[in-house]
Amino acid sequence: METQTGKPLVEMRGVFKAFGGVHAVEDVDVTLHAGEVVAVLGHNGAGKSTLMKMLAGAYRRDAGSVHIDGKAAELASPAEAFELGIETIHQTLALADNLDATANLFLGREIAWRVGPFRIMDSARMRDVAAKVISQLNPRFTNLNTPCRDLSGGQRQTIAIARAIHFEAHVLIMDEPTAALGPHETAMVADLIRELKSKGIGIFLISHDIHDVFDLADRVVVMKNGQVVGTANTSDVSQDDVLGMIILGKCPEGAIPGPGARSNPQ
């Protein structure tokens, strides 16, 4: 699916990032379309997190271009990424454990009205909005007043995702969204991701769970040593093919090789 401009939602071309003399990301091309899940895979140190941090504005890229909905973007800061509709849902979820769902959804972006020099939080409006947004994702979520420390992993993910959706995210970067969750909670998060896809939101999924990847992702991008080994539709490759790309850097039939592909890995 394409955006209204007919362009990919995200297009990263020839992206480089070095830390000292180490090339963390080297000549990487990645695209993401609306309503698509693209899994970004690789061992620790492969460059996937650095690539996503550049998209999120946390790191400045050294070279290359990024287009969001067909328009060039600098992504010089997380604030700029937010303005362009790019949100990151970290593995830690960045929730305040002592606050409830409503307070977490609006944390740092509270609805308030001004009386002279004072800002007064509109708690009732925030609670109503939180209930509406969260119920769209998970109608069974009723624990709006419960501190997040007492919620399940799936419920916490719901809050983090609802926060991104309410603030009009078009691109979600999801870092290990099912890590440490049980089967029921994992299924809940998978349903949330499918719901986001149906709304036309593009998702970059960072995961070490190959089963999750094949269950949720439309395409995979495998990185090794800072470069793309290959890109493939999940329907065109097997789990063993993807593991071969991750471990050996070998690009199988059905995948488009990248600069990091090795034709005869040792």
Side-chain angles (χ1 to χ4, degrees):
M1 183 186 299
E2 294 180 334
T3 61
Q4 292 180 354
T5 63
K7 301 286 187 179
L9 192 57
V10 176
E11 187 173 18
M12 305 178 78
R13 296 295 181 195
V15 174
F16 281 81
K17 180 65 182 177
F19 297 99
V22 177
H23 287 190
V25 170
E26 184 175 355
D27 194 21
V28 168
D29 295 347
V30 175
T31 60
L32 175 72
H33 295 264
E36 181 183 40
V37 176
V38 173
V40 184
L41 309 177
H43 285 309
N44 291 337
K48 58 189 187 298
S49 293
T50 299
L51 180 69
M52 291 295 101
K53 285 179 180 178
M54 284 189 280
L55 180 61
Y59 290 159
R60 293 289 298 267
R61 63 186 182 276
D62 296 329
S65 65
V66 178
H67 287 74
I68 306 298
D69 197 9
K71 298 176 182 177
E74 276 301 312
L75 298 175
S77 68
E80 183 184 347
F82 292 152
E83 286 295 317
L84 291 171
I86 302 167
E87 295 263 0
T88 302
I89 299 179
H90 300 280
Q91 186 173 351
T92 58
L93 300 181
L95 299 178
D97 282 344
N98 60 312
L99 300 180
D100 63 17
T102 300
N104 269 287
L105 193 147
F106 287 99
L107 190 61
R109 295 183 272 194
E110 292 83 1
I111 299 173
W113 38 281
R114 189 172 292 279
V115 178
F118 304 106
R119 292 179 74 247
I120 299 176
M121 298 299 108
D122 193 339
S123 300
R125 185 179 173 196
M126 287 191 288
R127 188 167 52 250
D128 290 345
V129 170
K132 181 178 179 181
V133 175
I134 290 173
S135 67
Q136 289 175 349
L137 291 172
N138 182 0
R140 296 181 298 278
F141 191 108
T142 58
N143 303 319
L144 288 176
N145 299 318
T146 303
C148 278
R149 70 164 67 90
D150 298 325
L151 297 177
S152 69
Q155 290 170 326
R156 290 164 61 87
Q157 280 282 1
T158 299
I159 296 169
I161 293 170
R163 180 170 58 192
I165 298 308
H166 177 65
F167 290 103
E168 299 185 342
H170 307 299
V171 177
L172 282 186
I173 302 167
M174 302 187 74
D175 185 5
E176 299 287 355
T178 61
L181 298 183
H184 175 73
E185 305 256 295
T186 296
M188 180 189 299
V189 173
D191 287 342
L192 289 174
I193 291 173
R194 294 186 187 101
E195 178 66 18
L196 296 175
K197 282 185 61 175
S198 73
K199 296 177 183 295
I201 293 169
I203 300 171
F204 279 117
L205 175 66
I206 302 174
S207 179
H208 285 95
D209 190 323
I210 200 73
H211 301 291
D212 274 357
V213 166
F214 273 80
D215 187 35
L216 297 171
D218 301 290
R219 287 190 294 129
V220 294
V221 175
V222 177
M223 297 184 66
K224 188 176 178 67
N225 300 324
Q227 295 184 304
V228 172
V229 172
T231 303
N233 296 325
T234 51
S235 58
D236 294 336
V237 291
S238 68
Q239 293 187 20
D240 286 344
D241 288 334
V242 172
L243 289 172
M245 283 195 279
I246 294 170
I247 297 168
L248 300 174
K250 183 178 181 181
C251 194
E253 256 185 70
I256 301 171
R262 297 173 62 189
S263 56
N264 293 297
Q266 301 298 314

